[in-house]
Amino acid sequence: MRLRTLLRNRIHAVLADHGHDRPAGCWSGPGRDWLAWLPLPAASREVVDDGLALIDAVEVRIDRLDWEVVQRARSGPRVKVLTQLPGVGPFTALVILAEIGDITRFGSARKLASWAGLTPTVRGSDRVAHYGHISKQGSTWLRWVLCEAAQTAKRSPQFAAGYQAIANRRGKKIATTAIARKLLTRAWHLLTDAERAALPPPATTPAPQSRRSSQTRRGRQAPGELEDQPEPATPRSNN
């Protein structure tokens, strides 16, 4: 998809050099017809035609990979758990799972956010602490896919108010990063709960029997059994 975007940008640059633009887009059927009949110099026409041919070749592979992503997502129960989050689709969920791995490696959501490089750096002395930008350590792909998901999640009712409040104070870029961290925090809770729910219930062991209770059971008569009566004492003679 990045390669396709690069090719489209190259064609747009050629069109801009010659003062051509089509607000409706150039990649649908009418747009392709417009590009085919557009008067361009020979060198520019060659760049546009080669770019369109490469885009068509890339589209075939994008469609195939999209189909594979959907098939893998259907067979993964954890993917269904993560797609409950706003802005997280099957591809985003698969990237998150591939980068995180076993969720039990992280004891808390903060540890996961720190590993992903979404926590602020701290500089200071023994009295004053200065918080900077995020550390950007850990998985680059995880941060990228979470920031992409945050572009959609920030408009959802769950995050819209928080995003706007941070954007007014710190700017839109920092607000989007904050939403990405919130998404990762909720992902940790969802995956942790799913992991605990999948564990088998603990086996129950029978309680140890006390010696007194066992003796009581051994001395208990069976139904219908007569109780042994003590023999009557023989009266003593006064003689």
Side-chain angles (χ1 to χ4, degrees):
M1 291 179 67
R2 290 186 173 185
L3 179 58
R4 181 179 63 183
T5 302
L6 184 148
L7 294 169
R8 289 180 175 180
N9 291 339
R10 179 177 297 175
I11 293 175
H12 277 302
V14 172
L15 298 178
D17 289 341
H18 297 284
H20 299 294
D21 187 21
R22 188 173 188 273
C26 304
W27 319 119
S28 59
R32 287 295 189 94
D33 295 338
W34 178 78
L35 283 175
W37 293 100
L38 191 66
L40 294 172
S44 299
R45 168 55 60 186
E46 185 176 358
V47 172
V48 171
D49 291 343
D50 289 346
L52 292 174
L54 291 173
I55 288 174
D56 292 338
V58 169
E59 288 282 1
V60 176
R61 284 148 183 83
I62 290 176
D63 293 340
R64 175 176 58 81
L65 292 174
D66 283 343
W67 182 84
E68 292 182 6
V69 165
V70 172
Q71 297 305 313
R72 287 181 177 269
R74 287 178 178 175
S75 60
R78 295 192 300 169
V79 174
K80 297 179 181 179
V81 171
L82 289 180
T83 50
Q84 301 175 23
L85 296 172
V88 176
F91 175 76
T92 302
L94 286 174
V95 174
I96 292 174
L97 293 174
E99 295 300 311
I100 291 178
D102 188 1
I103 195 62
T104 58
R105 297 190 301 142
F106 306 99
S108 65
R110 181 176 179 82
K111 291 182 179 180
L112 176 58
S114 177
W115 176 83
L118 288 174
T119 53
T121 56
V122 182
R123 300 189 305 273
S125 60
D126 57 343
R127 295 183 179 180
V128 181
H130 298 278
Y131 294 90
H133 296 288
I134 59 174
S135 62
K136 293 186 179 181
Q137 298 177 353
S139 172
T140 303
W141 287 104
L142 181 58
R143 286 195 306 276
W144 167 75
V145 79
L146 286 171
C147 289
E148 290 294 319
Q151 298 291 345
T152 301
K154 66 185 181 183
R155 296 189 294 270
S156 68
Q158 303 179 36
F159 299 109
Y163 167 80
Q164 195 60 45
I166 299 174
N168 294 336
R169 299 195 317 265
R170 307 289 303 278
K172 295 182 179 180
K173 186 175 181 180
I174 294 179
T176 302
T177 305
I179 298 303
R181 179 177 174 177
K182 290 185 178 181
L183 284 175
L184 186 58
T185 299
R186 295 197 179 187
W188 182 87
H189 286 285
L190 289 174
L191 292 175
T192 302
D193 292 342
E195 190 75 18
R196 292 171 181 171
L199 293 176
T204 57
T205 57
Q209 299 177 358
S210 63
R211 183 177 180 181
R212 182 176 180 180
S213 61
S214 61
Q215 291 177 352
T216 303
R217 278 194 294 270
R218 284 197 300 268
R220 188 177 301 166
Q221 286 83 15
E225 183 180 354
L226 296 178
E227 183 179 359
D228 294 336
Q229 299 291 337
E231 295 182 358
T234 304
R236 288 183 179 181
S237 174
N238 293 329
N239 298 328

